[in-house]
Amino acid sequence: MKISIIIPVYNASKTLNECLDSVFKSEYKNFEVIIVSDKSTDDSVKIAQKYQTKIIQLPENKGPANARNIGSKNS
């Protein structure tokens, strides 16, 4: 069974590398990672592009719940 890991981010460049490294080191390999940038203004999207992820960039900041819901709809 394939699972979707949805990671909403807002200016998460300080922690995103560590988060994604941890996800991709998992023994379970049947997953997709969806990064939902909630109108980040830092390097979060550039960091996510270094990994095998699907990236969704939102046009305005509406909070983590909205970003998770959009990620879920795109999984």
Side-chain angles (χ1 to χ4, degrees):
M1 176 172 79
K2 186 173 189 174
I3 63 169
S4 297
I5 301 170
I6 300 163
I7 305 173
V9 297
Y10 176 72
N11 294 342
S13 63
K14 291 182 181 177
T15 57
L16 189 55
N17 275 316
E18 185 177 352
C19 174
L20 291 172
D21 283 345
S22 178
V23 168
F24 284 97
K25 286 180 184 175
S26 170
E27 290 183 20
Y28 188 83
K29 298 298 180 191
N30 194 17
F31 63 85
E32 67 176 344
V33 177
I34 301 172
I35 302 291
V36 184
S37 174
D38 196 20
K39 187 86 173 154
S40 291
T41 57
D42 66 355
D43 289 335
S44 295
V45 172
K46 287 181 185 179
I47 291 168
Q49 290 172 337
K50 296 177 185 177
Y51 296 82
Q52 188 175 351
T53 63
K54 178 178 181 180
I55 301 169
I56 301 168
Q57 296 185 59
L58 302 181
E60 62 181 299
N61 181 288
K62 290 190 176 182
N66 180 64
R68 279 190 297 270
N69 290 339
I70 289 173
S72 177
K73 289 177 184 175
N74 284 276
S75 67

